[in-house]
Structure formats: structure tokens, C-alpha cells
């Protein structure tokens, strides 16, 4: 596993220096950034900001216990910590499904660019509707991961700091399956994809968790979808070809 990790990361760094892949990376960042900013403004200012304003002491009777609690300095500090980590997680929550959708647009191009740059042997023919299947899969997966994260949103809100570990743990598998599936669905049927996922489960989860960590790092999170496409392209292209029969 260690050699796999080292080799895959080294090759991905080389890929990012390739002019063709760099061009795709820049385009991906632009699309992701514009859409993410719009969604973040809608979510933060119209939802989370309103929720945090409810704790303003001026909303309560000055003689009441809630006014006293919300006026405490320690509560303000605690609220600030919660707000910081919530905003951090919120950005990641937006970028995870958005990254899946954006990756679907470039998955095919990146896959074959990686194949050509590293001279991988790959003889599986693309399906005629591969682009449609990849984007449909990406959109469906993005919706699923978004809904799952919305369901466990209370954990993210109530457990600052711990919410980072919860986020990485839960989304590691989701992200791994999503990005790997973006490629596999272009070549294989559902039954074959299930078997491939079983064979590569540990590597898929590790790469998925690694990408999720990237989603929590400012600036780097905008590169995460493209980096994920590169990582999972290498995973598939350098895997034992017997699992693809």
C-alpha cells in the first residue's frame, strides 16, 4: 500500500506539470470557484447567518436566563468557534458534490491524457454514450453525497473540530466510489463495477479520504476534483488487468 501511495502521488505531481492537464486544471478551478461562491453565499447568508443571529442577546428579555447565557463572553467565544468550523465544513460540503459534477465534465479527457503521458496499456473500448454516462453518474452521486451530508449536518454543527474527522471518515468512501465510478461507468456494466470496487476497496477508500482532506484545505480544495481524477485514473490504469475481465 505504501509503494502504491508513493508511486501514485509522484505520478500525479508529474501530471500537474503537463500543459494539457494544467489547462484542464485551470478550467476546472474557474468553473468550480464561480459556482461554489454563488452557492456559499446562498447557504451562508440566507441559512447559517440567520440561525446564528437567533442567539443574539437582544432577541431575549433582559431579565431572562437565555439573555444571561447568550451574553456570557464564553458563549460568544464558543459560538465563534462553532461558526468558524461550520463555515469550514460548509465550504467542503459545497465542494464535494460540486467537485463530482465538474469532474464528470473532464473525466474522459484526463483519463486518456494520463494514459498517454505514462504509456499505460488500456484496451477497453469506451461506450458510445460514455460522456453522458459519466456526467449522469457524477450528478447522481453528487446528489446522494449531498443528501447524506445534509442528514448528518447536526453532527457537523454540534461537534466542532470533531466534525472534521467525521466529515473525512464518512465522505472518504463516498468520494472514492464517485470519482472511481466516473471512469468505470464509461467502460463497464454495473455488475463489473461492483466486482472492481470490491477488489480495489482499500485503495479506493484511502484515495477518497485523501481527496476529502484536500477539500478541507483552502485554495487546495479548488484543485481537489482534478487531483482526484488524476489519482483515480492512475488507480485504474495501473491495477491488475485481470480484475477488468
Amino acid at each position: 500500500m505504501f509503494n502504491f501511495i508513493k508511486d501514485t502521488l509522484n505520478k500525479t505531481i508529474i501530471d500537474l506539470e503537463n500543459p494539457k492537464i494544467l489547462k484542464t486544471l485551470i478550467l476546472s478551478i474557474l468553473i468550480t470557484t464561480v459556482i461554489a461562491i454563488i452557492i456559499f453565499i446562498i447557504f451562508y447568508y440566507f441559512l447559517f447567518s440567520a440561525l446564528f443571529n437567533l442567539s443574539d442577546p437582544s432577541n431575549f428579555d433582559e431579565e431572562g436566563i437565555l439573555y444571561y447565557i447568550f451574553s456570557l463572553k464564553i458563549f460568544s467565544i464558543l459560538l465563534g468557534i462553532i461558526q468558524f468550523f461550520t463555515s469550514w465544513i460548509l465550504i467542503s460540503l459545497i465542494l464535494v458534490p460540486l467537485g463530482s459534477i465538474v469532474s464528470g465534465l473532464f473525466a474522459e479527457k484526463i483519463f486518456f491524457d494520463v494514459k498517454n503521458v505514462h504509456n499505460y496499456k488500456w484496451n477497453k473500448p469506451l461506450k458510445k454514450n460514455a460522456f453522458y454516462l459519466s456526467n449522469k453518474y457524477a450528478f447522481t452521486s453528487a446528489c446522494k453525497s449531498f443528501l447524506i451530508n445534509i442528514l448528518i449536518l447536526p453532527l457537523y454543527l454540534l461537534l466542532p473540530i470533531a466534525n472534521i474527522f467525521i466529515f473525512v471518515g464518512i465522505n472518504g468512501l463516498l468520494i472514492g466510489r464517485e470519482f472511481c465510478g466516473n471512469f468505470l461507468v464509461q467502460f463497464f456494466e454495473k455488475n463489473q463495477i461492483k466486482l472492481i470496487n470490491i477488489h480495489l476497496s482499500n485503495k479506493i477508500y484511502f484515495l477518497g479520504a485523501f481527496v476529502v482532506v484536500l477539500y478541507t484545505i483552502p485554495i487546495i480544495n479548488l484543485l481537489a476534483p482534478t487531483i482526484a481524477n488524476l489519482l483515480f485514473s492512475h488507480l485504474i490504469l495501473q491495477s491488475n488487468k485481470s480484475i477488468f475481465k
Side-chain angles (χ1 to χ4, degrees), residues 30 35 74 77 104 113 116-117 130 137 141 143 156 162 172 183 199 201 208 221 236 240:
L30 289 174
I35 299 176
I74 190 171
I77 295 173
D113 281 345
N116 294 332
V117 168
Y137 183 91
S141 297
C143 290
Y156 296 147
F183 298 112
H199 282 287
S201 59
N221 49 21
I236 294 170
N240 191 319

Side-chain angles (χ1 to χ4, degrees), residues 47-62:
L47 179 60
F48 284 93
S49 184
L51 289 175
F52 286 122
N53 285 337
L54 291 176
S55 62
D56 189 332
S58 62
N59 294 324
F60 305 94
D61 185 354
E62 291 186 9

Side-chain angles (χ1 to χ4, degrees), residues 168-183:
V168 173
I170 291 176
N171 285 277
L173 182 59
L174 294 175
I175 288 293
R177 291 292 179 88
E178 286 173 19
F179 280 91
C180 192
N182 273 351
F183 298 112

Side-chain angles (χ1 to χ4, degrees), residues 8-202:
T8 304
L9 290 178
N10 286 339
K11 288 179 179 178
T12 299
I13 292 172
I14 293 172
D15 292 333
L16 292 173
E17 297 174 351
N18 183 280
K20 289 184 178 179
I21 295 175
L22 185 60
K23 183 179 179 181
T24 302
L25 175 63
I26 294 171
L27 185 57
S28 173
I29 289 174
L30 289 174
I31 294 173
T32 303
T33 302
V34 171
I35 299 176
I37 289 174
I38 294 172
I39 296 175
F40 179 80
I41 291 173
I42 293 173
F43 264 84
Y44 189 84
Y45 287 100
F46 291 94
L47 179 60
F48 284 93
S49 184
L51 289 175
F52 286 122
N53 285 337
L54 291 176
S55 62
D56 189 332
S58 62
N59 294 324
F60 305 94
D61 185 354
E62 291 186 9
E63 297 181 357
I65 188 171
L66 289 178
Y67 179 86
Y68 173 74
I69 293 173
F70 292 141
S71 298
L72 293 174
K73 187 174 182 179
I74 190 171
F75 182 82
S76 299
I77 295 173
L78 180 61
L79 186 63
I81 293 173
I82 293 174
Q83 195 164 7
F84 172 77
F85 281 100
T86 299
S87 300
W88 193 358
I89 288 295
L90 176 60
I91 293 173
S92 301
L93 285 178
I94 293 170
L95 289 174
V96 166
L98 180 59
S100 295
I101 294 172
V102 173
S103 74
L105 299 174
F106 304 104
E108 180 182 331
K109 183 180 185 307
I110 288 178
F111 185 85
F112 285 103
D113 281 345
V114 169
K115 171 185 173 294
N116 294 332
V117 168
H118 297 275
N119 296 314
Y120 284 118
K121 294 181 180 179
W122 182 261
N123 57 7
K124 299 296 180 183
L126 272 172
K127 294 180 180 179
K128 292 181 180 179
N129 56 344
F131 183 77
Y132 165 75
L133 290 173
S134 177
N135 283 277
K136 178 184 176 183
Y137 183 91
F139 182 78
T140 303
S141 297
C143 290
K144 287 180 180 178
S145 65
F146 184 73
L147 289 174
I148 290 172
N149 280 292
I150 288 297
L151 288 174
I152 59 177
L153 189 58
L155 293 178
Y156 296 147
L157 296 174
L158 299 174
L159 300 172
I161 302 178
N163 55 14
I164 302 294
F165 296 98
I166 296 171
F167 177 75
V168 173
I170 291 176
N171 285 277
L173 182 59
L174 294 175
I175 288 293
R177 291 292 179 88
E178 286 173 19
F179 280 91
C180 192
N182 273 351
F183 298 112
L184 296 178
V185 75
Q186 299 181 58
F187 300 98
F188 305 101
E189 300 301 326
K190 288 183 178 180
N191 291 337
Q192 291 174 289
I193 293 174
K194 288 181 179 178
L195 291 175
I196 294 170
N197 283 333
I198 291 173
H199 282 287
L200 300 177
S201 59
N202 291 336

